[in-house]
């Protein structure tokens, strides 16, 4: 069947073609409308001409397969696709505004601004990875932002979907991607590791905070292969005022071995959201690159990164969750907190890469002025912070896997829910107290959290301890809704 002509006013499957808004080497973007769709649209059409690289066609097929399966605010909504027999296309939501590429003239950025941008991108990657997709082309021109600030990832032609055929892997042997941002393992044919996207984000964050790309501009395969054994200059070598916490994050993302990076995008986002709690290692103080002996060991020991057997993206993410434990450290609920500890130990014992966030809420008054000191003259916030650290000490977790947080809020349940949403928490463990008149009249924190949290919630009963912690499943989320908790004055 003859291909349809792409020109303003033409109709394809009910979509009316408007103006050409972008003409690239691999695809063209046209504005489009549809009588039944009430949002701005773009139609993406591949460029097919004499001598065209067949990888361009395959990558368009990948985008046609992957984009319709994605959802959420971090990707453009897909409204239709067309096959190559008549006219290949993808119709998607048109995100207003430019890509992050526009900001290259502003480099280097202020550290905190770059951190905020990287946090939004890491959150978007966490959402994408949970949908079994690895982007494989994270760079400034692949990132946009919605009106309310959420990062939107675009261009999925090089992506890998864990449940779909990987046509690029099956049909080509060369790695495809943008050379300065490509992860080392990609050069060995590895396309099923979500930590490759974290490497690319590390490159972007290094670039945006120093103004220099960590591996230069090389486009040759030989030049790119050097990153299998050669690390970049630490940012503090380029900018002496570079924050230690930021260098810790950047260099962890840029580790040659994926196992040394953050295990998930959600854990990376957590550190970006809490820079004051980033656990500093020797990375944070480095000024020089690795010694030549270490470089030669990688170079002549068959490289630092080797191909590995196919991994399940979902299983890898499930092995590295963020677990939030909500505690009341002030009202003498030792039995309940011990039960919560047992429940948390059971979870952590099977998840060696899990991250534990210990949370308590200092409840504020609605009408009266809150006092910062207790009856003994101790600062309430500091007192609860120390109590959380003491409670968590028996876990003997590596510092990079443990954080403590004292939230101040009028509504403790809302504060816990907001913390879980902002920090991409996968599992909340919270206690439920015995029956009381206050609970009957006002409801409970644990019931609200269990009912509204977008993640797994385990509610622990103090009388039965953690061995009988109740968890029930509702709408894909484990929750216990038949147990409630008291909210005593000043705490939850």
């Amino acid at each position: 069947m003859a291909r349809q002509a792409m020109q303003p006013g033409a109709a394809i499957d009910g979509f009316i073609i408007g103006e050409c808004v972008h003409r690239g080497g691999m695809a063209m973007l046209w504005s489009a409308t549809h009588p039944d769709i009430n949002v701005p649209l773009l139609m993406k059409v591949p460029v097919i001409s004499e001598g065209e690289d067949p990888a361009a066609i395959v990558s368009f097929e990948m985008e046609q397969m992957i984009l319709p399966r994605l959802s959420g605010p971090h990707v453009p909504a897909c409204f239709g696709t067309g096959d190559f027999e008549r006219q290949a296309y993808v119709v998607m939501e048109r995100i207003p505004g430019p890509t992050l590429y526009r900001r290259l003239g502003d480099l280097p950025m202020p550290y905190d601004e770059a951190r905020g941008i990287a946090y939004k991108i890491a959150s978007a990657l966490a959402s994408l990875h949970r949908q079994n997709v690895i982007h494989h082309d994270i760079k400034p021109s692949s990132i946009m932002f919605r009106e309310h600030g959420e990062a939107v990832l675009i261009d999925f032609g090089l992506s890998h979907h864990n449940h779909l055929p990987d046509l690029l892997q099956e049909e080509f042997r060369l790695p495809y991607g943008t050379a300065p941002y490509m992860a080392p393992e990609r050069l060995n044919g590895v396309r099923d590791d979500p930590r490759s996207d974290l490497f690319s984000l590390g490159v972007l964050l290094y670039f945006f905070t120093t103004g220099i790309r960590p591996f230069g501009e090389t486009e040759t395969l030989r030049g790119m292969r050097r990153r299998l054994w050669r690390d970049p200059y630490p940012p503090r070598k380029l900018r002496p005022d570079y924050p230690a916490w930021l260098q810790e994050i950047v260099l962890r993302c840029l580790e040659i071995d994926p196992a040394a990076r953050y295990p998930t995008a959600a854990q990376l986002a957590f550190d970006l959201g809490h820079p004051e709690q980033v656990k500093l290692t020797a990375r944070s103080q480095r000024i020089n690159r690795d010694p030549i002996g270490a470089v030669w060991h990688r170079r002549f020991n068959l490289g630092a990164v080797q191909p590995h057997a196919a991994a399940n993206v979902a299983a890898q993410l499930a092995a590295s969750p963020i677990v939030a434990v909500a505690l009341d450290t002030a009202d003498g609920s030792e039995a309940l907190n011990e039960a919560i500890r047992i429940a948390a130990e059971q979870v952590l014992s099977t998840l060696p890469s899990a991250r534990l966030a210990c949370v308590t809420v200092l409840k504020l008054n609605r009408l009266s002025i809150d006092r910062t000191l207790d009856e003994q003259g101790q600062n309430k916030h500091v007192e609860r912070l120390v109590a959380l650290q003491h409670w968590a000490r028996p876990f003997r977790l590596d510092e990079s896997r443990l954080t403590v947080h004292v939230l101040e809020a009028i509504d403790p349940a809302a504060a816990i829910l907001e913390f879980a949403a902002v920090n991409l928490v996968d599992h909340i463990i919270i206690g439920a107290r015995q029956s009381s008149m206050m609970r009957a009249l006002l409801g409970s924190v644990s019931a609200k959290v269990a009912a509204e949290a977008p993640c797994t919630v385990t509610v622990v009963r103090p009388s039965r301890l953690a061995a009988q912690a109740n968890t029930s499943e509702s709408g894909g989320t484990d929750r216990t809704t038949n147990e409630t908790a008291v909210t005593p004055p000043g705490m939850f």
Side-chain angles (χ1 to χ4, degrees):
M1 184 179 296
R3 293 177 59 228
Q4 291 190 232
M6 294 297 300
Q7 59 185 10
I12 301 178
D13 297 336
F15 295 100
I16 308 302
I17 309 301
E19 64 176 343
C20 180
V21 298
H22 177 75
R23 186 184 299 269
M26 298 177 66
M28 297 173 63
L29 295 175
W30 298 78
S31 64
T33 59
H34 192 284
D36 299 327
I37 301 174
N38 209 16
V39 299
L41 301 175
L42 279 179
M43 178 177 283
K44 186 173 186 178
V45 179
V47 173
I48 301 175
S49 57
E50 182 65 33
E52 189 66 40
D53 185 351
I57 298 174
V58 174
S59 69
F60 197 85
E61 290 183 278
M62 292 298 299
E63 185 155 31
Q64 284 184 310
M65 289 193 299
I66 290 174
L67 189 57
R69 290 171 165 81
L70 299 178
S71 62
H74 300 297
V75 295
C78 182
F79 293 94
T81 61
D83 59 35
F84 280 88
E85 183 177 356
R86 184 175 54 166
Q87 176 60 66
Y89 68 82
V90 175
V91 174
M92 68 192 80
E93 170 192 9
R94 184 172 185 174
I95 309 296
T99 68
L100 191 55
Y101 186 84
R102 184 193 64 171
R103 300 299 306 276
L104 297 193
D106 302 332
L107 305 186
M109 279 185 181
Y111 298 126
D112 200 55
E113 182 181 8
R115 176 193 66 83
I117 290 173
Y119 166 79
K120 293 176 181 179
I121 299 170
S123 298
L125 285 173
S127 174
L128 187 71
H129 293 167
R130 285 170 177 157
Q131 298 181 67
N132 294 289
V133 175
I134 305 166
H135 191 279
H136 280 321
D137 201 20
I138 295 299
K139 57 185 179 181
S141 59
S142 298
I143 299 160
M144 303 181 74
F145 295 91
R146 294 191 183 276
E147 180 182 359
H148 297 295
E150 302 99 329
V152 180
L153 307 177
I154 60 175
D155 295 337
F156 293 90
L158 301 182
S159 298
H160 168 90
H161 194 298
N162 197 52
H163 298 156
L164 294 174
D166 192 333
L167 302 182
L168 286 171
Q169 182 86 332
E170 293 173 358
E171 299 183 29
F172 304 98
R173 293 295 173 262
L174 292 176
Y176 283 90
T178 304
Y181 298 89
M182 192 179 295
E185 62 272 13
R186 293 281 311 284
L187 302 170
N188 283 333
V190 176
R191 281 179 47 83
D192 56 7
D193 194 328
R195 294 169 296 189
S196 297
D197 283 343
L198 308 190
F199 183 93
S200 301
L201 179 51
V203 173
L204 187 150
L205 186 54
Y206 184 112
F207 182 32
F208 272 43
T209 51
T210 66
I212 298 172
R213 289 189 173 94
F215 302 100
E217 307 286 344
T218 180
E219 295 288 342
T220 67
L221 185 59
R222 179 178 180 181
M224 287 191 293
R225 289 193 67 83
R226 294 186 73 249
R227 70 192 63 174
L228 284 166
W229 55 81
R230 197 41 158 150
D231 58 316
Y233 284 105
R236 290 167 66 89
K237 177 76 171 179
L238 307 176
R239 300 188 67 181
D241 68 335
Y242 206 86
W245 62 264
L246 185 55
Q247 176 158 302
E248 179 72 32
I249 291 173
V250 168
L251 292 187
R252 186 173 178 185
C253 289
L254 295 181
E255 288 283 358
I256 296 173
D257 184 354
R261 300 174 203 154
Y262 285 93
T264 66
Q267 292 202 24
L268 169 57
F270 193 100
D271 267 5
L272 289 165
H274 301 277
E276 74 286 352
Q277 296 215 41
V278 173
K279 307 306 178 185
L280 303 182
T281 69
R283 294 188 193 98
S284 67
Q285 301 300 322
R286 289 178 54 196
I287 299 297
N288 298 310
R289 298 197 288 183
D290 288 338
I292 194 65
V295 176
W296 279 52
H297 176 74
R298 296 190 195 111
R299 176 67 181 90
F300 297 106
N301 193 32
L302 300 179
V305 182
Q306 295 298 311
H308 59 270
N312 185 294
V313 177
Q316 184 170 330
L317 299 183
S320 309
I322 296 175
V323 180
V325 172
L327 296 166
D328 181 347
T329 61
D331 76 335
S333 53
E334 291 84 1
L336 177 57
N337 288 344
E338 180 61 25
I340 294 174
R341 190 199 321 278
I342 294 172
E345 286 176 341
Q346 290 174 342
V347 172
L348 295 174
S349 66
T350 61
L351 300 168
S353 297
R355 183 163 194 159
L356 183 66
C358 302
V359 180
T360 192
V361 182
L362 181 58
K363 192 174 187 299
L364 303 179
N365 296 304
R366 292 183 182 273
L367 301 177
S368 60
I369 297 176
D370 291 286
R371 297 176 59 87
T372 59
L373 303 181
D374 61 18
E375 295 178 355
Q376 288 74 42
Q378 302 293 323
N379 183 281
K380 295 178 182 179
H381 192 107
V382 173
E383 185 181 18
R384 284 152 180 76
L385 197 66
V386 172
L388 284 177
Q389 293 170 338
H390 178 76
W391 181 88
R393 192 170 296 134
F395 289 108
R396 301 183 182 277
L397 291 176
D398 181 89
E399 289 187 342
S400 65
R401 296 179 57 201
L402 173 67
T403 53
V404 294
H405 309 265
V406 178
L407 313 179
E408 298 187 6
I410 293 174
D411 183 344
I416 295 169
L417 290 168
E418 181 181 9
F419 180 89
V422 170
N423 293 287
L424 309 178
V425 169
D426 300 287
H427 190 164
I428 300 172
I429 301 175
I430 188 171
R433 292 182 180 82
Q434 303 294 340
S435 300
S436 74
M437 181 63 69
M438 183 179 294
R439 188 188 76 173
L441 293 175
L442 302 179
S444 75
V445 174
S446 58
K448 182 174 181 179
V449 170
E452 299 181 18
C455 61
T456 297
V457 177
T458 296
V459 178
V460 179
R461 298 173 184 264
S463 58
R464 300 181 185 177
L465 298 183
Q468 294 179 305
N470 291 313
T471 305
S472 63
E473 187 168 329
S474 175
T477 301
D478 293 338
R479 300 190 175 111
T480 299
T481 56
N482 61 344
E483 184 62 64
T484 53
V486 180
T487 306
M491 289 294 295
F492 72 88

